Amino acid sequence: MNQAMDKAKPTAVALEDATVAFRLADARVYTAVERARLAVAHGEFVAIVGPTGCGKSTLLNVAAGLLKPAAGAVTIFDQPLAGLNRDAGYLFQADALFPWKTAIDNVAIGLEIKGTPRQKALEQAQAWLTSVGLGAFANRYPHMLSGGQRKRVGLAQVLIRDPKILLMDEPFGPLDAQTRQVMGNLLLELWTADRKAVLFVTHDLEEAIALADRVVIMSAGPSSRIIGDWRVELPRPRDIFEVRLDKQFHELHREIWGVLKEEVMKGYAQSTQAGGTN
Amino acid sequence: MNQAMDKAKPTAVALEDATVAFRLADARVYTAVERARLAVAHGEFVAIVGPTGCGKSTLLNVAAGLLKPAAGAVTIFDQPLAGLNRDAGYLFQADALFPWKTAIDNVAIGLEIKGTPRQKALEQAQAWLTSVGLGAFANRYPHMLSGGQRKRVGLAQVLIRDPKILLMDEPFGPLDAQTRQVMGNLLLELWTADRKAVLFVTHDLEEAIALADRVVIMSAGPSSRIIGDWRVELPRPRDIFEVRLDKQFHELHREIWGVLKEEVMKGYAQSTQAGGTN
Amino acid sequence: MSRAALLLCQVLVAVVVLALWQVFTTVPLFGRILLPPFFFSNPIDVFSQIINWFASGVIWKHLAITLWESILAFVIGSALGILVGFWFARQPRVAAVFDPYVKMTNALPRVVLAPIFALWFGLGIWSKVALGVTLVFFIVFFNVYQGVKEVSTTVLDNGRMLGMSERQLMRHVYWPSALSWMFSSLHTSVGFAVVGAVVGEYLGAAAGLGYLIQQAEGVFDVAGVFAGMFVLSAFVILIDMAVTVVERRLLVWRPAAAREA
Amino acid sequence: MSRAALLLCQVLVAVVVLALWQVFTTVPLFGRILLPPFFFSNPIDVFSQIINWFASGVIWKHLAITLWESILAFVIGSALGILVGFWFARQPRVAAVFDPYVKMTNALPRVVLAPIFALWFGLGIWSKVALGVTLVFFIVFFNVYQGVKEVSTTVLDNGRMLGMSERQLMRHVYWPSALSWMFSSLHTSVGFAVVGAVVGEYLGAAAGLGYLIQQAEGVFDVAGVFAGMFVLSAFVILIDMAVTVVERRLLVWRPAAAREA
Amino acid sequence: AAQSKVTIAVGGGACLCYLPTVLAKQLGEYEKAGLAVELVDLKGGSDALKAVLGGSADVVSGYFDHCVNLAAKRQELQAFVVYDRYPGLVLVVSPKHTGEINSIKDLAGKKVGVSAPGSSTDFFLKYLLKKNGLDPASAAVIGVGLGATSVAAMEQGQIDAAVMLDPSVTVLQGSHPDLKILSDTRTQHDTLAVFGGEYPGGALYSTAAWVKSHEKETQALTNAILATLAWIHTHSAEDIMAKMPEAMVGKNKELYLAALKNTIPMYSETGKMDPKGADAVLAVFSEGSPEVAKANIDVSKTYTNSFVEQAKKTTGTGSK
Ligand SMILES: Nc1ncnc2c1ncn2[C@@H]1O[C@H](COP(=O)(O)OP(=O)(O)OP(=O)(O)O)[C@@H](O)[C@H]1O
Ligand SMILES: Nc1ncnc2c1ncn2[C@@H]1O[C@H](COP(=O)(O)OP(=O)(O)OP(=O)(O)O)[C@@H](O)[C@H]1O
Ligand SMILES: [Mg+2]
Ligand SMILES: [Mg+2]
């Protein structure tokens, strides 16, 4: 376990002892994340893995500026974050497409907002839809798409804006293994060409190792903490599929998995106790 | 590839050459599934795997009676299906909890509908929440739960009714690998105790093999067809984790994966062509 | 149900109602006439009055005035309701401060305000438009206000994270999301716009259907009163159809109505 | 904004409006008085009238009658609106057939119908309640109808797959889902219930605030008219608060309002 | 003795023309006559009448002309005591148009306000136009109501003239002492000039059937009104005002007093219907309404003086 922090590159996202608490209906407070300390350098690809309900989405919301931490600070490119994080693109875990726009309009809107002429935005959007394998579905409204198709439209919507920071919450969740790899390679390609800071939440540890520079593990909630931070030293550029055959990959996987498994079982035991921090 | 159909047991769900077509906005028609032929015997666990957007959810909707096939027939326990399939419990791919009910009420409702007294329904619901690891979250409204927690509440909501046919659309999608296994074992346990017909959609081929009696593969859309049907001859009872160490498991996995990979790549190529069957 | 069958059913309903009306106003049941003709006239008289109006052409002038007033009241009232609704929804402080006053204003009996409208807007169409606006505005306002607040948080957050400015959020998120709320209120307020115009005319005017109705009322010509109301209602259906056409166009993106059980 | 600050702002608004009113009705600006006191009275007179009413106690009887009428109109009208709204939404055929007639009825000027209400319901409170009901009903109806149709398809399908009967769907799916639509319409219709009652009284009554207002109007006592309307509005706020309390309770499950930008 | 309950629908209680009905209640005359009377205020005479025809009230206190008008509709109404001997309708020229209009003849082509199209004020206007040799349709009729709306319209000159009633006329006179009045039927002079006799204004009437089946109540009402009329003519305007409910007087006491003084001569001293007046009503309405003209109305059936005469015999009141 090598606590890693690259001092050379500027820090894109830094959470400093961020604690997030939710107020529950009965005036009690649920501390989801406690004193999270995480720095993502510019150009760094960080994957976050953790048991379900530990606070991964919460962490991304904080980095996006959608949630204010109860304590601690958030800095973006060394500036304290006030309000929304304008440098970030966020692919939400839940379905967040605009239901009143067709797939292509949903993608093009990211550019139109910046003032790109509509025609040009549409052309680029079509190109992006094609890259995510939905070139033929441009004129569908979201409700006419399957779960995986919607997710991919969302992916294109975020990527087309070319944000400096990418926040991705289980972006490949509802995709089949094969499409996942295609999308993963697409993401790596983009990231290699124009290094962004990426915060990538996934449940697939292999995927996390295959894609990321660092894998961060969170403990089970409540009061989840960051309990592990591994640097993945596999050579770049990587092919997601082939990298899995690497020996180093397997070692790392086993190491992280050991920690993770224990954590999940702990979390499962904890949250099961009725009358806990409900 | 052994096309399997068990003639001894009664057929719980049978699709006979079911074709599903959607009308698109511009009066064109998109044929999602073509001539699907699938019989699930009572007590059989069938997993459906296929590239994203191929029509898995559509198939479940047909079996549930929510969608009428354009052609072909659906029979449930040898009765033609008219209207809803009252014998089935359906865990939807999308979030379908009642946002105005707490977790425990969401689960208890399945029993209350049948006339179980509220107090008893709540007790059982609490027990179910505990089995899915959410005993401490009973009084949360859905918007206060994480993605994986919501999915598990949905799981409990369906299982508590003890339906004869289980339709599950990526039930473990947003769960971490460890929790997935716990849930998988839970499902198997239930199924073993009181054999149900299960139609289980997943993107995780390993999961499919580990859980199911049969794995069905669909081709890439449009006009997706069922292109493969493997019987999994691994011994029962299985432990999901240990079964993966079995040699037979690996052979089957490799075999199916070969077919599947090819199919996905084909689908990807197809749907990418702009101006296709949009 | 096919369009033809639907139309048939609708006509049937009308026929039955008219027949009952005719019977109840002319034939004594259990020794008495259920609907005294002095108050209810009867369909035949009403229709001959309507035909008379159209044949002689006197109605057109009045109808045109009332329709014009209604449409103005509808358009102005809805536009104001939408604007203020959006504004309040996006400025929770403004909304919180003015909320009780808006509700108080909504409870003012417009009929009592008629002299003030006459004073400010004269006895021409504008005082009637003003009356209609005060009805339409509130109906649309409350719905748009609520509609904007009902926007899905995830979709809204997505819009914000995509970098939308407040104006872009308006256009791409709030507006389309609040549309179905808005149209619901528009369907209600079409009727109220007409009511406003007619009541306004009724309180003081030189022409319009309200004037015709009042004139008929003055000489106890109930057939005339009903005829006026009928003509009115028929035209409301036309305006409402126009609203529905716009609604259909703007809401193409919705899933088709829930599947039948 | 804290509660105290909010209250302060609200009071400030009232003070400013009243001050302007007082100035415009008493001090000539640019050579003329902007709001002729003959039509607008002035706040001091209005308040002395209100105080007078309460001090002498004459108001209580009238207020009680009007409030009672309003509440009845509100409750009956909303209940009917909700029932019919649900019914129509669940019976698309019935809805399709009756749709034009509902819209036509909504466009009938209630003032003209007053004599018929008097005929059917007498000159007591019930004819006023009926007038209020005809206003409230349509506002609630259209919103509930739309609200039921807006239920999320996934949630609805889930309910159906869980084996809910039509009645259970009503209770567990349609009703909670349509609640925010319903409450939006209730906020609008509180005001209209009062308007209905007052207009009813205005058209013919022996007591009630509308009667007071009419009498004041008859002798050109504008202060009395405004005083009546004020008392009315103040009570509308109270009824509306009650509605809000119920709303809060029934809608606890909603995510807190969208986070601030 | 058990009092009989009677509901009287008043066609706009604030109008001074209906004062005797209200005053009788204030003075307790109804109770003295053995009646429990409830007064219900309606927006106008025709609404009051409908309330009676619909059965929600027993007796109308309103303008007699409706009885004639309804006779054409085969509704039998009967007036049994008349408390206004002049109609009180005043044709006033808007202060903004004083220069242009000097006589009724000048009204041709002008906008003239009436309380509502088809109302008594409307018919009065048409009658006057006809009498002055004009086509009754030569003036544009605008409905402006009776209250503040009409005053506003007049003040602003939105209409050129209007047929008004008190207290609106007095209000206008208050702010415009030089108000031009073309015809003032609050006075005996103009009433006689226009109609050639007394012209019945406010009266108590009901359906002929009710009158027939409720002779006792009818008589009691007649007695009460006659007593009130007698009281009015033996007291000053100030006394009368002091008796009226405060809400009806309003805050502007001078205005009320002035209007009342203008109106007092209007109140009948006998309560009796002048048959010539009844004929005049028919003439007025025949002018404006072809339906009335065609209907062959027997005016004598629309009123009865028998109750007034009976009252005189037994009590001696009303015969001054
Ligand atoms: N609005 C809220 N109110 C109360 N608790 C909340 C709220 N949102 C999230 N939580 C709680 O905070 C914890 C973390 O939630 P979060 O959504 O971040 O989990 P996650 O790691 O993304 O899980 P998953 O993998 O299931 O998506 C969960 O236990 C959840 O119940
Ligand atoms: N309402 C609809 N109108 C038109 N096309 C639809 C509609 N619903 C689904 N489709 C199309 O039908 C195909 C199958 O959809 P389905 O949701 O069944 O896919 P799936 O196999 O469940 O995919 P995923 O794994 O992404 O959930 C998709 O191509 C989708 O675009
Ligand atoms: Mg999450
Ligand atoms: Mg699917």
Side-chain angles (χ1 to χ4, degrees):
Chain A
M1 210 200 290
N2 50 344
Q3 289 286 352
M5 194 155 305
D6 202 316
K7 279 286 162 213
K9 300 181 205 155
T11 320
V13 180
L15 306 183
E16 280 155 25
D17 289 336
T19 300
V20 185
F22 293 103
R23 212 169 302 147
L24 297 181
D26 41 5
R28 273 192 292 165
V29 162
Y30 180 86
T31 309
V33 178
E34 197 165 294
R35 306 187 130 254
R37 225 189 154 79
L38 177 69
V40 184
H42 187 51
E44 200 177 19
F45 196 128
V46 175
I48 303 180
V49 184
T52 161
C54 68
K56 303 179 292 298
S57 306
T58 304
L59 224 53
L60 289 200
N61 280 335
V62 169
L66 289 170
L67 256 181
K68 271 214 168 30
V74 186
T75 57
I76 305 298
F77 290 115
D78 300 323
Q79 300 292 322
L81 178 63
L84 282 195
N85 182 346
R86 293 273 165 204
D87 292 320
Y90 191 168
L91 179 58
F92 291 83
Q93 182 175 21
D95 218 345
L97 295 181
F98 304 112
W100 39 83
K101 289 185 185 289
T102 56
I104 194 166
D105 282 339
N106 256 297
V107 178
I109 187 72
L111 289 183
E112 285 181 72
I113 284 165
K114 290 197 209 162
T116 314
R118 183 159 168 78
Q119 200 46 49
K120 217 176 131 200
L122 285 181
E123 274 165 32
Q124 288 196 41
Q126 180 65 49
W128 271 102
L129 280 180
T130 309
S131 337
V132 297
L134 292 172
F137 293 80
N139 293 320
R140 299 270 190 106
Y141 287 102
H143 76 93
M144 303 161 111
L145 295 172
S146 81
Q149 290 169 336
R150 279 201 291 270
K151 199 83 193 184
R152 284 181 281 157
V153 175
L155 188 65
Q157 189 181 53
V158 171
L159 294 180
I160 199 174
R161 291 184 59 229
D162 191 25
K164 285 196 263 179
I165 302 171
L166 269 177
L167 308 172
M168 320 193 83
D169 203 344
E170 298 188 37
F172 308 150
L175 302 181
D176 58 281
Q178 191 59 44
T179 310
R180 255 180 129 108
Q181 290 182 7
V182 176
M183 293 297 121
N185 278 331
L186 174 71
L187 183 61
L188 275 192
E189 222 170 84
L190 278 172
W191 174 76
T192 318
D194 169 23
R195 296 230 153 184
K196 301 161 189 307
V198 181
L199 258 173
F200 187 96
V201 171
T202 179
H203 281 310
D204 186 338
L205 185 54
E206 291 191 17
E207 186 175 76
I209 300 173
L211 289 170
D213 291 327
R214 273 164 63 203
V215 176
V216 169
I217 304 290
M218 293 182 74
S219 72
S223 304
S224 174
R225 291 158 160 273
I226 293 179
I227 52 161
D229 192 336
W230 283 267
R231 185 159 286 283
V232 182
E233 305 280 9
L234 296 168
R236 301 267 186 192
R238 303 178 194 158
D239 177 275
I240 304 186
F241 188 66
E242 276 160 23
V243 82
R244 289 174 205 225
L245 310 174
D246 196 298
K247 201 178 140 240
Q248 218 186 330
F249 181 97
H250 277 278
E251 265 162 35
L252 200 57
H253 187 276
R254 195 168 339 105
E255 192 182 329
I256 303 181
W257 180 244
V259 177
L260 196 58
K261 183 171 177 182
E262 191 183 313
E263 206 41 52
V264 173
M265 292 318 294
K266 204 157 67 188
Y268 189 74
Q270 252 173 38
S271 68
T272 293
Q273 295 154 11
T277 332
N278 185 9
Chain B
M1 214 200 285
N2 49 345
Q3 289 287 351
M5 195 155 300
D6 202 319
K7 281 283 161 215
K9 299 178 204 154
T11 320
V13 181
L15 306 184
E16 280 155 27
D17 289 335
T19 300
V20 185
F22 293 104
R23 212 169 303 145
L24 297 182
D26 41 5
R28 273 191 291 164
V29 160
Y30 180 88
T31 310
V33 178
E34 197 165 295
R35 306 186 131 257
R37 229 194 149 75
L38 177 71
V40 184
H42 187 52
E44 198 177 22
F45 197 127
V46 175
I48 304 181
V49 182
T52 160
C54 67
K56 303 179 291 298
S57 305
T58 304
L59 222 55
L60 290 201
N61 280 336
V62 169
L66 290 170
L67 258 181
K68 272 215 166 29
V74 186
T75 57
I76 304 297
F77 290 114
D78 299 323
Q79 300 293 320
L81 178 63
L84 281 194
N85 182 346
R86 294 271 165 209
D87 291 321
Y90 191 170
L91 180 58
F92 292 82
Q93 181 176 22
D95 218 344
L97 295 181
F98 304 112
W100 39 83
K101 289 187 184 289
T102 55
I104 193 166
D105 281 338
N106 256 298
V107 178
I109 187 72
L111 288 182
E112 285 181 74
I113 284 165
K114 290 198 213 164
T116 313
R118 185 161 166 75
Q119 199 47 47
K120 217 176 131 201
L122 285 181
E123 273 164 31
Q124 287 196 41
Q126 179 65 48
W128 271 102
L129 279 180
T130 308
S131 341
V132 297
L134 291 172
F137 293 81
N139 293 322
R140 298 271 188 106
Y141 287 102
H143 76 94
M144 303 161 111
L145 296 172
S146 81
Q149 290 169 335
R150 279 201 292 269
K151 200 82 193 181
R152 283 181 282 158
V153 175
L155 187 66
Q157 188 181 54
V158 171
L159 293 180
I160 199 173
R161 290 184 60 229
D162 193 24
K164 284 195 265 178
I165 301 171
L166 268 176
L167 308 172
M168 318 193 86
D169 202 344
E170 296 188 38
F172 306 151
L175 302 180
D176 58 282
Q178 192 60 44
T179 310
R180 256 177 129 109
Q181 290 183 5
V182 176
M183 292 298 119
N185 278 331
L186 175 70
L187 183 60
L188 276 191
E189 224 170 83
L190 278 174
W191 174 77
T192 317
D194 168 21
R195 295 233 154 182
K196 300 163 190 303
V198 181
L199 258 175
F200 188 96
V201 171
T202 179
H203 281 309
D204 186 339
L205 185 54
E206 292 191 18
E207 186 175 77
I209 301 173
L211 290 169
D213 292 327
R214 271 165 63 205
V215 176
V216 168
I217 305 289
M218 292 182 75
S219 73
S223 303
S224 175
R225 290 159 159 274
I226 293 179
I227 52 162
D229 192 334
W230 283 266
R231 183 158 288 283
V232 182
E233 305 280 11
L234 297 167
R236 303 264 185 194
R238 304 181 193 156
D239 176 275
I240 303 186
F241 187 65
E242 277 159 23
V243 83
R244 289 176 205 227
L245 309 174
D246 195 300
K247 200 177 140 241
Q248 216 185 330
F249 180 96
H250 277 279
E251 265 161 35
L252 199 57
H253 187 276
R254 194 163 343 102
E255 190 181 329
I256 304 181
W257 180 244
V259 177
L260 195 57
K261 185 171 175 182
E262 193 182 313
E263 207 40 52
V264 172
M265 291 320 293
K266 204 157 62 187
Y268 189 73
Q270 251 174 39
S271 68
T272 293
Q273 294 153 11
T277 332
N278 185 11
Chain C
M1 209 158 30
S2 71
R3 278 194 78 79
L6 178 62
L7 209 69
L8 193 81
C9 282
Q10 290 178 338
V11 171
L12 211 73
V13 170
V15 168
V16 168
V17 170
L18 291 180
L20 286 180
W21 181 9
Q22 179 72 31
V23 168
F24 286 152
T25 49
T26 50
V27 183
L29 278 166
F30 311 113
R32 65 194 206 90
I33 285 183
L34 281 186
L35 301 177
F38 179 75
F39 288 94
F40 292 93
S41 187
N42 67 67
I44 292 174
D45 285 0
V46 171
F47 279 99
S48 65
Q49 173 71 79
I50 292 177
I51 287 165
N52 198 336
W53 274 342
F54 279 96
S56 68
V58 288
I59 186 106
W60 292 115
K61 174 186 137 202
H62 297 288
L63 190 57
I65 288 179
T66 303
L67 275 185
W68 183 227
E69 287 163 359
S70 308
I71 291 172
L72 280 176
F74 178 64
V75 171
I76 298 176
S78 326
L80 282 179
I82 293 169
L83 279 179
V84 180
F86 267 100
W87 182 45
F88 271 35
R90 296 307 298 141
Q91 303 283 341
R93 282 173 200 193
V94 176
V97 171
F98 285 98
D99 178 79
Y101 301 110
V102 172
K103 280 170 181 158
M104 279 171 84
T105 323
N106 181 35
L108 295 184
R110 320 301 195 268
V111 174
V112 180
L113 296 177
I116 291 179
F117 288 138
L119 180 71
W120 279 342
F121 305 108
L123 286 174
I125 64 164
W126 290 105
S127 55
K128 286 89 201 175
V129 172
L131 205 82
V133 165
T134 61
L135 293 170
V136 171
F137 170 79
F138 288 99
I139 297 174
V140 176
F141 163 78
F142 281 106
N143 254 30
V144 169
Y145 180 44
Q146 189 66 25
V148 175
K149 292 201 293 183
E150 292 281 316
V151 172
S152 139
T153 341
T154 327
V155 172
L156 178 58
D157 281 347
N158 192 18
R160 293 171 61 206
M161 287 308 296
L162 286 175
M164 288 188 188
S165 66
E166 184 69 11
R167 269 194 55 194
Q168 289 170 325
L169 280 178
M170 273 303 154
R171 182 162 150 223
H172 297 290
V173 180
Y174 291 113
W175 168 256
S177 168
L179 267 188
S180 62
W181 284 82
M182 199 188 84
F183 276 108
S184 169
S185 70
L186 292 189
H187 286 298
T188 326
S189 53
V190 166
F192 277 89
V194 175
V195 170
V198 171
V199 172
E201 287 166 3
Y202 196 78
L203 295 176
L209 277 177
Y211 180 85
L212 266 193
I213 291 178
Q214 201 185 19
Q215 195 167 37
E217 219 179 13
V219 295
F220 302 101
D221 171 12
V222 200
V225 173
F226 275 86
M229 297 206 289
F230 257 89
V231 174
L232 211 72
S233 308
F235 277 85
V236 166
I237 300 293
L238 290 186
I239 309 182
D240 191 80
M241 276 178 180
V243 173
T244 307
V245 168
V246 178
E247 182 178 11
R248 289 250 170 84
R249 271 194 66 91
L250 285 180
L251 296 181
V252 273
W253 56 270
R254 328 211 98 211
R259 307 167 199 129
E260 285 304 288
Chain D
M1 209 157 31
S2 72
R3 277 194 80 78
L6 177 63
L7 209 70
L8 193 80
C9 281
Q10 289 179 338
V11 171
L12 211 72
V13 170
V15 169
V16 168
V17 170
L18 292 179
L20 286 180
W21 180 7
Q22 179 73 32
V23 169
F24 286 152
T25 48
T26 50
V27 184
L29 278 165
F30 310 113
R32 66 194 204 90
I33 285 183
L34 281 185
L35 302 177
F38 179 73
F39 291 100
F40 292 94
S41 186
N42 67 66
I44 292 175
D45 284 1
V46 171
F47 279 98
S48 67
Q49 173 71 79
I50 293 178
I51 287 165
N52 196 338
W53 274 343
F54 279 98
S56 68
V58 286
I59 186 101
W60 292 116
K61 175 185 137 203
H62 298 290
L63 190 58
I65 290 178
T66 304
L67 274 185
W68 184 227
E69 287 164 358
S70 308
I71 291 171
L72 280 176
F74 178 65
V75 170
I76 297 175
S78 325
L80 282 179
I82 293 168
L83 280 179
V84 180
F86 267 99
W87 183 44
F88 272 35
R90 297 305 299 139
Q91 303 284 339
R93 283 170 201 199
V94 176
V97 171
F98 285 97
D99 178 79
Y101 300 109
V102 172
K103 281 169 181 158
M104 281 172 82
T105 322
N106 182 34
L108 296 184
R110 322 298 196 271
V111 174
V112 180
L113 296 177
I116 292 180
F117 289 139
L119 173 73
W120 280 341
F121 304 108
L123 288 174
I125 66 163
W126 290 105
S127 55
K128 284 89 201 173
V129 172
L131 206 80
V133 166
T134 61
L135 292 170
V136 171
F137 170 78
F138 288 100
I139 297 174
V140 176
F141 163 78
F142 281 107
N143 254 30
V144 169
Y145 180 44
Q146 188 66 25
V148 174
K149 292 201 294 184
E150 292 282 317
V151 172
S152 140
T153 341
T154 326
V155 172
L156 177 59
D157 280 347
N158 192 20
R160 292 170 61 206
M161 286 309 296
L162 286 174
M164 288 186 188
S165 65
E166 185 69 11
R167 268 194 55 194
Q168 288 169 324
L169 280 178
M170 273 301 157
R171 179 160 155 225
H172 297 290
V173 179
Y174 291 112
W175 167 255
S177 168
L179 267 189
S180 61
W181 284 84
M182 197 188 87
F183 277 108
S184 168
S185 70
L186 292 188
H187 286 298
T188 326
S189 54
V190 166
F192 278 89
V194 175
V195 170
V198 171
V199 171
E201 288 166 2
Y202 190 79
L203 296 177
L209 277 177
Y211 174 83
L212 268 193
I213 291 176
Q214 194 207 19
Q215 295 226 310
E217 219 178 16
V219 293
F220 298 98
D221 174 11
V222 198
V225 174
F226 275 89
M229 296 206 290
F230 258 88
V231 173
L232 210 73
S233 307
F235 276 86
V236 166
I237 300 293
L238 291 186
I239 309 181
D240 190 79
M241 276 177 179
V243 173
T244 307
V245 168
V246 177
E247 182 178 10
R248 290 251 168 83
R249 270 194 68 92
L250 285 180
L251 295 181
V252 273
W253 55 271
R254 328 212 97 210
R259 303 165 201 132
E260 284 303 291
Chain E
Q3 294 189 323
S4 347
K5 237 181 96 69
V6 176
T7 305
I8 302 182
V10 187
C15 181
L16 282 174
C17 49
Y18 302 127
L19 176 134
T21 327
V22 180
L23 187 60
K25 172 131 184 152
Q26 296 298 110
L27 293 174
E29 293 293 347
Y30 295 125
E31 275 154 51
K32 267 184 246 166
L35 293 176
V37 164
E38 189 193 11
L39 296 180
V40 181
D41 242 331
L42 285 114
K43 189 175 126 266
S46 62
D47 290 311
L49 180 156
K50 281 178 190 161
V52 168
L53 283 180
S56 38
D58 303 312
V59 176
V60 185
S61 170
Y63 267 52
F64 167 72
D65 49 25
H66 286 312
C67 297
V68 177
N69 213 331
L70 276 192
K73 300 253 168 215
R74 276 181 296 283
Q75 299 283 338
E76 291 179 8
L77 292 170
Q78 205 169 40
F80 50 85
V81 55
V82 180
Y83 48 76
D84 293 340
R85 54 183 165 173
Y86 318 136
L89 303 164
V90 185
L91 180 55
V92 190
V93 177
S94 158
K96 286 254 159 79
H97 298 275
T98 325
E100 307 150 33
I101 298 164
N102 294 307
S103 72
I104 293 175
K105 285 206 167 64
D106 294 337
L107 288 178
K110 300 284 191 216
K111 288 185 279 184
V112 184
V114 299
S115 67
S119 65
S120 308
T121 50
D122 190 7
F123 284 108
F124 177 65
L125 172 69
K126 295 213 162 91
Y127 181 73
L128 281 182
L129 290 172
K130 175 87 181 182
K131 210 170 153 68
N132 285 271
L134 294 173
D135 179 354
S138 59
V141 169
I142 297 187
V144 290
L146 282 170
T149 322
S150 62
V151 175
M154 288 291 272
E155 292 261 14
Q156 293 195 320
Q158 293 172 3
I159 46 179
D160 300 293
V163 180
M164 301 176 87
L165 289 162
D166 253 335
S168 304
V169 184
T170 311
V171 165
L172 274 181
Q173 279 176 319
S175 46
H176 303 277
D178 55 342
L179 192 72
K180 188 175 282 175
I181 291 176
L182 298 178
S183 175
D184 186 350
T185 63
R186 290 176 299 183
T187 62
Q188 187 179 28
H189 173 269
D190 278 13
T191 308
L192 294 181
V194 174
F195 301 111
E198 285 190 353
Y199 185 97
L204 287 190
Y205 62 87
S206 184
T207 57
W210 192 87
V211 173
K212 206 169 195 170
S213 57
H214 293 79
E215 286 201 7
K216 201 177 109 243
E217 285 83 357
T218 311
Q219 189 63 56
L221 283 171
T222 309
N223 295 349
I225 293 294
L226 290 178
T228 309
L229 289 174
W231 194 90
I232 289 175
H233 290 291
T234 51
H235 287 78
S236 69
E238 285 81 1
D239 290 340
I240 299 173
M241 184 171 78
K243 282 287 177 191
M244 289 299 282
E246 209 169 319
M248 284 203 177
V249 176
K251 275 188 284 297
N252 191 342
K253 298 232 158 69
E254 289 104 82
L255 165 68
Y256 191 83
L257 205 58
L260 189 56
K261 280 181 179 155
N262 281 336
T263 314
I264 287 180
M266 244 175 77
Y267 299 125
S268 169
E269 293 176 357
T270 62
K272 248 189 177 160
M273 173 70 77
D274 177 350
K276 270 192 288 178
D279 290 337
V281 173
L282 181 60
V284 167
F285 279 82
S286 302
E287 214 57 72
S289 159
E291 201 188 354
V292 174
K294 274 187 301 192
N296 251 331
I297 296 163
D298 180 359
V299 190
S300 64
K301 285 212 177 121
T302 60
Y303 64 87
T304 168
N305 278 329
S306 60
F307 292 96
V308 178
E309 274 149 18
Q310 179 66 28
K312 256 186 254 172
K313 271 186 232 147
T314 51
T315 63
T317 48
S319 54
K320 213 172 113 186

